[in-house]
Amino acid sequence: MNFKQFAFSVLLGIAALQSLAQVRTQEFGFQSDNDSFLAQGSDRYYTNGLFVFYRRGMDIKRIDKLVNKVLTIEVGQKIFNPQSGSITVNGQPNPAYIDRPFAGYLYAGGSLNLLYRNESNFKIGVQVGVIGPSAKGEQAQQVIHDTFGFYELSGWEYQIRNTPVINLSLDYNRLLARNEWIDLTASGMLNAGTAFNNIAVGPMVRLGNFNQLFNSYSTQSTATRNAIAPLHKKELFFYYKPMFNYIAYDATVQGALVNKKDDPTGMEVTGKPEPIMISHQIGVGFSGKRVNLGFEVAVHSKDVKTQRYNTHQWGSINVAYRFGK
């Protein structure tokens, strides 16, 4: 090796170290979902969700095909209503007004996201929790309504009864095509367990300044230890993700899947899911040196046969702070 080759190698090493030193390997953040974010005055179906998460880019012994590995730990709660959070008719609660069961879902979970140089990824996750009164859906919704001066709730006595949840999930993405400002990704998702059994497939289109799928807001992979140069120092892009969903079982609608017993109180109101559901996710994502920000509008066709309205929609806000080296 001559002097020029040696000097060039040293410069490349320094550049790589500087790039790695700028990488933030951990993230802490939250996501909030609510139909009131769309200012439509509705309060129905999937009406509120709150999730807190921690992500950490994991060490990879040899960066080859696998270029990023992200561990996520998360706790969250989802709240489901009928067409309104109050089913009072003529001064009395009327269960006939329940076109989608009341339900709360509280869980803790973790996932491992494996991201590859060819811009495909597998994310494997598990959630453990409870659906029913122990999920405190009524209490959480009451706090929201009291805080913001919303109407008085009624009808939670008819909610889905307690049922334990152990669920596994698998997410997959694969880049199909890209030019400078637009790309196309194939996406798929599978859930299996005691509460949620469904599969979904569809494309995702991104427009703007976006990075590779192994280091992007799109795949929750901005916490990283790799030193591969991103396409952009900052991401700012719009995306559209339509999905075709087949729903085999949903415990927030049907109640317990295992050890199903008659309700001794006679109060629980359950339903039947619509097996085919079409969803649309439209949003904007930003990823900077330390901060991720995102806003999304989700629109779903009816997922319960008895729903009065054919679609429901909500807004989602995502904020994360990246730190560490």
Side-chain angles (χ1 to χ4, degrees):
M1 178 183 294
N2 59 35
F3 177 77
K4 288 184 178 180
Q5 291 174 324
F6 174 76
F8 183 67
S9 299
V10 170
L11 290 174
L12 283 179
I14 292 173
L17 287 173
Q18 288 178 336
S19 175
L20 184 62
Q22 293 172 357
V23 169
R24 307 297 176 183
T25 62
Q26 301 175 69
E27 286 179 355
F28 180 79
F30 73 91
Q31 179 178 318
S32 179
D33 301 342
N34 200 289
D35 44 9
S36 67
F37 291 159
L38 302 183
Q40 294 185 337
S42 64
D43 190 20
R44 57 177 177 257
Y45 310 146
Y46 175 49
T47 184
N48 189 76
L50 182 62
F51 318 94
V52 178
F53 58 84
Y54 166 78
R55 297 189 184 117
R56 184 181 183 89
M58 307 296 287
D59 287 322
I60 301 174
K61 292 183 179 180
R62 185 170 67 93
I63 294 180
D64 187 12
K65 292 181 179 180
L66 181 67
V67 296
N68 195 10
K69 185 165 56 173
V70 181
L71 175 68
T72 299
I73 299 172
E74 179 180 271
V75 294
Q77 183 191 54
K78 293 183 177 183
I79 301 173
F80 300 88
N81 277 349
Q83 55 191 294
S84 172
S86 173
I87 61 165
T88 298
V89 180
N90 297 324
Q92 295 294 327
N94 186 350
Y97 198 68
I98 300 176
D99 61 338
R100 197 247 192 257
F102 284 95
Y105 173 41
L106 183 67
Y107 72 90
S111 66
L112 184 64
N113 197 356
L114 304 174
L115 303 111
Y116 296 88
R117 190 182 294 273
N118 66 359
E119 296 196 57
S120 65
N121 79 292
F122 289 93
K123 184 166 71 170
I124 304 164
V126 61
Q127 291 183 356
V128 178
V130 64
I131 292 170
S134 294
K136 304 300 181 182
E138 178 184 10
Q139 291 85 341
Q141 191 173 31
Q142 189 66 61
V143 169
I144 295 170
H145 280 228
D146 290 346
T147 301
F148 296 99
F150 296 157
Y151 62 86
E152 188 66 29
L153 300 175
S154 70
W156 273 94
E157 61 267 32
Y158 299 102
Q159 70 178 297
I160 297 293
R161 289 181 297 144
N162 281 331
T163 179
V165 176
I166 301 177
N167 242 79
L168 302 177
S169 64
L170 175 64
D171 291 86
Y172 175 74
N173 296 281
R174 176 65 184 263
L175 179 69
L176 298 178
R178 170 180 294 147
N179 69 17
E180 185 177 351
W181 59 276
I182 184 171
D183 69 4
L184 176 66
T185 300
S187 298
M189 177 269 293
L190 172 69
N191 286 312
T194 64
F196 308 105
N197 291 278
N198 62 285
I199 188 170
V201 294
M204 177 176 65
V205 178
R206 300 189 298 176
L207 299 97
N209 290 337
F210 44 74
N211 284 329
Q212 302 96 320
L213 293 180
F214 52 72
N215 186 10
S216 176
Y217 175 91
S218 300
T219 50
Q220 301 85 50
S221 57
T222 50
T224 179
R225 290 183 180 273
N226 75 45
I228 298 176
L231 297 175
H232 302 279
K233 291 183 178 180
K234 297 179 180 180
E235 289 187 296
L236 179 60
F237 61 88
F238 296 91
Y239 62 90
Y240 171 53
K241 188 175 182 180
M243 299 289 281
F244 174 88
N245 301 263
Y246 173 73
I247 301 170
Y249 203 92
D250 184 343
T252 69
V253 177
Q254 297 167 273
L257 174 62
V258 295
N259 295 325
K260 201 175 185 72
K261 299 178 181 178
D262 292 335
D263 177 13
T265 68
M267 299 292 284
E268 180 185 37
V269 174
T270 61
K272 294 183 178 180
E274 190 69 56
I276 304 300
M277 188 268 287
I278 307 299
S279 64
H280 303 268
Q281 296 167 252
I282 306 165
V284 57
F286 169 81
S287 178
K289 185 177 180 180
R290 288 188 178 270
V291 176
N292 290 353
L293 300 171
F295 181 75
E296 177 180 288
V297 176
V299 181
H300 283 203
S301 64
K302 66 164 62 177
D303 51 12
V304 180
K305 290 182 178 294
T306 54
Q307 282 181 199
R308 176 184 176 187
Y309 298 94
N310 290 326
T311 63
H312 63 291
Q313 50 279 322
W314 63 88
S316 179
I317 297 171
N318 192 297
V319 179
Y321 178 76
R322 193 158 50 256
F323 60 96
K325 292 184 179 181

